Amino acid sequence: MSGGIREILIAALVALAAAFVPLVVNAYWLSIGVTAMMYIALTTSWVIFSGPTHYISLASGAFFGIGGYLVATGMSDYDLSFWLMAAIAPLVALVLAGLIGWATLRLTGVYFVIFTLGLAEMIRNLVSWIQNNFLGSRGLYVLTDFTEAHIYWMLLGISAVVYLMGWWVQRSRIGFALRIIGNDETVARHVGINTATAKIILFMSTGFFAALVGAVIAPRYSYIEPNQVFSPELSFMVVIMALLGGAGRLWGPIVGVIPFTLVWEWVSINMPNQTTMLIGLIFLLIVYVLPHGIVGRLEQLAKRMREGGQ
């Protein structure tokens, strides 16, 4: 059995086991499970683009907010169905991500990071301004019959699709191109790789899935305000969890999301006024102490053990 097939079979077994979580845990742990599954979907889609290219995108919050806000607007103001809006919202984000990618992916390094953060803040403030000045209310209602278990299973399905897509990308020509771009973009251009097209396609996929997750999670909030769904904190959380687990492996984010979600639950309850400061400190610690994440550190230790045994 090849390594790729073995990886898919293991992932399928993990997903099957995860599907039983709502049936065996209480409401409190199910709520944590929904949060964890939301971040697993977001971080895995983030890693598909940012892992091989090393482009740190802070736009997840913007695309997530587009998904949640469009669902809320369609259901609250126009009486449209959840399923229709959940289908439209990711397509809108897909187009927007394409336009943003075309305009910005010529930037590299810290310039790209700053731009994506500024983009998320610009969209949040623009939507808030339109809501306050033209729509006459601060928030929108998203009323459905979905339970936490339903939302969990939908997010699990999205996570499985994202993982399968990432598995395929890693083994495709575009995945190979992205890895070359990450190692040396100048070399990639010299060997004939259309670097802009490759980056835009994968950046669009992160926008699509982030918006889809935002659309699915919207019924959990019931009442949505722009500042709630267009959260800059979410963008940083996605990056932190992905880097903590290890952005070099597709399954790395899962290793980072689960423990970080549990720790962050405790932090949110016991230190609610210090969360922003703690996010910054944790980000610095990960960058300096675990630059390759938990998975990378484990692989380094395993390599040393093999070399020591020879």
Side-chain angles (χ1 to χ4, degrees):
M1 183 184 298
S2 67
I5 300 300
R6 187 184 301 112
E7 180 184 344
I8 284 295
L9 289 176
I10 293 173
L13 290 174
V14 171
L16 181 62
F20 287 95
V21 167
L23 305 178
V24 297
V25 300
N26 59 29
Y28 173 74
W29 286 107
L30 178 56
S31 176
I32 294 177
V34 170
T35 300
M37 195 57 66
M38 177 187 80
Y39 279 115
I40 287 173
L42 290 171
T43 53
T44 305
S45 67
W46 185 89
V47 161
I48 293 175
F49 168 74
S50 294
T53 62
H54 305 149
Y55 276 68
I56 304 298
S57 170
L58 292 174
S60 298
F63 297 126
F64 177 90
I66 288 170
Y69 192 78
L70 286 180
V71 165
T73 301
M75 294 181 67
S76 184
D77 291 347
Y78 301 101
D79 200 28
L80 299 174
S81 74
F82 166 81
W83 297 110
L84 175 62
M85 295 310 302
I88 292 174
L91 297 178
V92 173
L94 184 75
V95 174
L96 180 61
L99 295 173
I100 294 168
W102 176 79
T104 66
L105 282 171
R106 294 171 179 81
L107 301 173
T108 58
V110 69
Y111 300 105
F112 180 75
V113 177
I114 293 171
F115 183 90
T116 53
L117 177 60
L119 170 74
E121 283 296 285
M122 182 194 73
I123 293 177
R124 179 175 69 86
N125 284 285
L126 178 62
V127 172
S128 297
W129 180 77
I130 293 173
Q131 184 76 33
N132 292 335
N133 291 278
F134 298 100
L135 301 182
S137 63
R138 282 284 296 169
L140 301 163
Y141 290 95
V142 184
L143 303 177
T144 67
D145 296 328
F146 297 144
T147 64
E148 288 272 89
H150 293 141
I151 295 172
Y152 175 90
W153 282 319
M154 285 190 283
L155 292 171
L156 174 60
I158 295 171
S159 299
V161 171
V162 172
Y163 190 92
L164 187 61
M165 175 183 166
W167 179 86
W168 173 81
V169 166
Q170 286 184 340
R171 288 156 180 78
S172 67
R173 292 182 64 183
I174 192 171
F176 179 68
L178 289 174
R179 288 192 292 275
I180 296 176
I181 291 170
N183 291 328
D184 193 320
E185 192 162 343
T186 302
V187 171
R189 284 195 294 267
H190 286 169
V191 298
I193 294 174
N194 189 331
T195 57
T197 300
K199 290 185 293 184
I200 290 171
I201 290 173
L202 267 298
F203 186 69
M204 289 171 67
S205 75
T206 64
F208 177 90
F209 285 114
L212 183 58
V213 171
V216 167
I217 209 74
R220 189 189 197 196
Y221 298 137
S222 297
Y223 181 78
I224 286 180
E225 296 181 354
N227 289 335
Q228 180 184 27
V229 290
F230 291 97
S231 170
E233 181 179 294
L234 182 138
S235 295
F236 283 100
M237 295 283 278
V238 168
V239 175
I240 287 172
M241 291 181 184
L243 295 180
L244 175 62
R249 292 288 183 271
L250 188 60
W251 49 273
I254 300 174
V255 178
V257 166
I258 294 175
F260 193 88
T261 301
L262 296 174
V263 171
W264 201 250
E265 176 72 12
W266 182 88
V267 168
S268 299
I269 293 172
N270 293 278
M271 293 182 286
N273 297 322
Q274 285 78 41
T275 55
T276 303
M277 179 186 69
L278 289 172
I279 285 176
L281 290 174
I282 292 169
F283 184 79
L284 292 174
L285 284 173
I286 291 172
V287 169
Y288 284 102
V289 179
L290 289 171
H292 301 291
I294 295 172
V295 172
R297 178 56 60 87
L298 292 175
E299 290 179 344
Q300 289 175 352
L301 292 174
K303 182 178 179 180
R304 290 175 184 173
M305 291 177 64
R306 287 195 301 268
E307 292 174 348
Q310 293 177 352

